[in-house]
Amino acid sequence: TAKLDQATSKSARLKDEVHGLESELATFTEIQTEMDKFRREIRAELDKARDELEQALGKLRENLGLAGFEASISELGNKFKAAEEQMEVYKEELKTAQADCAATKAAKQQRQQQQQQQQPQLQNDGAHELDINVDDGMVDGLVAMQKVANRAATKAAKQPQQQQQQQQQQPLTLHGPASVGRGWTSPAVTACSSDGLWTAMCYNARNPQKFMDVSNVTVDDRLFSIARGMTINPTGKRVEEHIYVNERTREMIYRIVDASTKKETGDERVMAVLDSPLRVAFFHRHKSNGDRTHWQAPVDTVQTMIQKLIDYASKNH
């Protein structure tokens, strides 16, 4: 009987515990149901907010022109890479320009020393006028002889006893060479000013088709030079070159670029403005030491281009 009472009592406790567990389970189920409902509502609100945000961002991109924002970032990256590569080219050009400047200065000092050592002691009869510095003065012997003749005529005109003879004297006519050679200088220019002629030369650097028989011209401004490409129409040859503008010396310096290596060759062609009287000089020289070399360019072609430059300068400046 005692054991039965204990079992009955234990059974009653278990029933109570089961009842309590069932009650708790029902409560948990109700809570779970409420939480699931709450999560669904929150998810719906989030989805709605996301849609509204995407719509707002789309309108913002459209209004600010940012539809291709990702593509623009990629394009900027490519441009930055190209700029870095171009900077390396500029660094090489700067090194070349510095080396050329130092070499030219040293060569000029050497020539001046040689001229001082070799200059003859002439009499005071005007013969010293024949001492012509071709490299530094950028004039050739023929034009210099014309200059000497003019000075001699002026000096003779000051002498009363020879004044009549000088008035009857015919002007000296000199004939130039067939090619530029080691240097050629134009006759005196009177149709335009020095500044106008220099401006025309600068214009020619960017617009060679207006002064020469060329086509397919491309021009790109670099840090220290102008990169120019053009096709020579009579031969069909493509020429690439770098042009350096020296405002101080009034020189336009042209350096050919090798098509395979994309580097400048060792020589340069020079077109310079000279004053007193106004002229244009052409010559070819080594860029490392400034020594002149023979240039096969026909003088007739050079004269034609000079005349076009003078005509442009007289009409526009």
Side-chain angles (χ1 to χ4, degrees):
T1 304
K3 292 183 179 179
L4 181 61
D5 293 338
Q6 292 178 355
T8 302
S9 176
K10 186 177 182 179
S11 176
R13 289 198 305 271
L14 290 174
K15 288 181 180 179
D16 291 338
E17 291 179 359
V18 169
H19 181 73
L21 291 173
E22 288 178 349
S23 177
E24 291 180 359
L25 180 60
T27 302
F28 289 153
T29 302
E30 183 179 357
I31 293 174
Q32 182 67 41
T33 302
E34 292 293 331
M35 290 182 65
D36 290 342
K37 179 180 178 182
F38 181 72
R39 281 197 296 268
R40 288 194 297 270
E41 292 176 353
I42 293 298
R43 182 57 183 252
E45 292 292 334
L46 290 175
D47 291 341
K48 181 179 179 181
R50 183 188 62 186
D51 294 340
E52 292 177 352
L53 179 61
E54 289 181 351
Q55 292 178 1
L57 289 175
K59 292 181 179 180
L60 179 63
R61 290 191 181 97
E62 183 178 354
N63 293 335
L64 297 179
L66 300 178
F69 180 74
E70 294 81 2
S72 298
I73 291 297
S74 177
E75 183 180 357
L76 287 174
N78 294 333
K79 289 184 177 180
F80 182 76
K81 182 178 179 181
E84 287 182 330
E85 295 175 352
Q86 189 63 54
M87 183 59 65
E88 293 299 324
V89 175
Y90 290 158
K91 289 180 180 178
E92 292 297 326
E93 291 183 356
L94 176 59
K95 292 179 180 178
T96 301
Q98 290 174 339
D100 293 346
C101 181
T104 302
K105 184 178 180 180
K108 183 176 180 180
Q109 291 176 349
Q110 184 179 2
R111 287 196 302 270
Q112 290 176 346
Q113 292 175 357
Q114 292 175 351
Q115 291 166 4
Q116 291 175 359
Q117 294 173 358
Q118 298 176 1
Q119 183 177 8
Q121 299 295 327
L122 302 178
Q123 299 178 356
N124 294 327
D125 57 357
H128 62 283
E129 298 291 346
L130 294 175
D131 182 22
I132 302 167
N133 185 341
V134 177
D135 286 329
D136 292 337
M138 302 179 187
V139 297
D140 63 359
L142 295 175
V143 177
M145 288 293 292
Q146 179 71 65
K147 184 177 180 180
V148 172
N150 292 338
R151 290 184 179 179
T154 302
K155 185 181 296 183
K158 295 180 181 179
Q159 301 177 2
Q161 64 273 22
Q162 297 180 0
Q163 184 174 5
Q164 184 176 1
Q165 294 178 359
Q166 293 300 328
Q167 291 175 350
Q168 295 175 354
Q169 182 180 359
Q170 296 296 324
L172 180 62
T173 301
L174 302 172
H175 300 279
S179 64
V180 173
R182 295 180 64 86
W184 183 87
T185 305
S186 72
V189 177
T190 58
C192 63
S193 65
S194 176
D195 290 340
L197 185 57
W198 173 249
T199 302
M201 288 169 57
C202 294
Y203 181 77
N204 168 53
R206 298 178 179 277
N207 303 274
Q209 72 277 8
K210 296 184 180 295
F211 303 90
M212 299 180 290
D213 189 10
V214 298
S215 58
N216 301 323
V217 177
T218 59
V219 176
D220 181 26
D221 288 317
R222 300 287 180 84
L223 184 60
F224 298 103
S225 64
I226 300 172
R228 186 176 76 178
M230 59 186 179
T231 301
I232 309 300
N233 291 334
T235 63
K237 181 180 179 181
R238 184 68 181 175
V239 176
E240 302 289 339
E241 57 191 352
H242 291 165
I243 305 175
Y244 296 86
V245 181
N246 192 328
E247 292 277 357
R248 183 179 61 83
T249 60
R250 292 290 182 96
E251 288 183 348
M252 301 293 294
I253 302 171
Y254 301 80
R255 296 177 182 172
I256 298 296
V257 176
D258 186 89
S260 58
T261 64
K262 300 301 180 182
K263 294 183 178 180
E264 297 177 352
T265 59
D267 297 329
E268 59 188 18
R269 294 167 291 124
V270 182
M271 181 167 57
V273 174
L274 308 179
D275 292 313
S276 301
L278 179 61
R279 293 150 294 153
V280 181
F282 288 81
F283 54 91
H284 192 275
R285 69 189 178 192
H286 293 300
K287 69 177 186 180
S288 60
N289 56 19
D291 289 343
R292 291 198 184 188
T293 58
H294 189 81
W295 190 6
Q296 294 288 349
V299 169
D300 290 343
T301 302
V302 172
Q303 287 177 322
T304 301
M305 185 178 69
I306 289 178
Q307 189 57 52
K308 291 182 179 180
L309 288 172
I310 295 173
D311 292 343
Y312 177 86
S314 62
K315 293 178 181 179
N316 297 277
H317 303 281

